[in-house]
Amino acid sequence: MAHLNYYKYEGYGQRSKENLWYSQAVRVGDIIECSGQGGWDCETDKIVRDINGQIDKAFENVEHTLKTAGAKGWVDVFSIRSYHVPCNSEAMEAMVRNLKQYCPNHQPIWTCIGVPRLAFDDMRVEIEVRAHVRAETKA
């Protein structure tokens, strides 16, 4: 898989690569795919407890991951898949608020899925994205 470029960010991303054996993002040509980003602090690994804070932090972590992989950020995102425990109106409102903040000039496609559990006990959200990186932003 030498034609694939894998990325991790400092802190949580590096520890996940070493301890959980996965990367935060992969680049295939002009497409960057991010693994699910949760509401954790990248330095301490602590997960924010409330759903609004978790979703806010997950959006920040997606932005950070995209930039680490050579994208401009959310502006390059065209596809989103989010997983929620639970998938309720509070989670939806926080997602929409963040989408309006991070994607003010475009509306990516989005699939929202309610699940019974995520990777860690306190996780309530996980967000995966796909981004198209234009030629001028290639790493």
Side-chain angles (χ1 to χ4, degrees), residues 36-110:
Q37 298 298 303
W40 51 69
D41 182 286
C42 292
E43 293 180 19
T44 67
D45 298 355
K46 291 188 180 179
I47 297 173
V48 177
R49 296 297 300 226
D50 73 285
I51 190 61
N52 282 287
Q54 264 196 50
I55 290 173
D56 293 348
K57 196 67 176 162
F59 269 78
E60 288 177 29
N61 290 340
V62 167
E63 177 91 353
H64 187 56
T65 302
L66 289 167
K67 288 181 176 181
T68 298
K72 290 180 182 176
W74 276 93
V75 68
D76 293 325
V77 171
F78 66 89
S79 179
I80 304 164
R81 185 174 294 122
S82 62
Y83 303 91
H84 302 269
V85 181
C87 188
N88 59 18
S89 60
E90 186 178 16
M92 293 298 291
E93 289 168 9
M95 287 293 295
V96 170
R97 176 176 45 78
N98 276 280
L99 283 168
K100 288 178 177 179
Q101 176 185 338
Y102 282 92
C103 304
N105 298 315
H106 76 293
Q107 296 170 313
I109 62 172
W110 174 29

Side-chain angles (χ1 to χ4, degrees), residues 5-21:
N5 295 310
Y6 293 95
Y7 300 89
K8 68 188 178 317
Y9 48 79
E10 294 298 317
Y12 179 84
Q14 180 63 41
R15 287 186 291 278
S16 291
K17 184 172 174 124
E18 293 168 3
N19 301 327
L20 302 174
W21 210 250

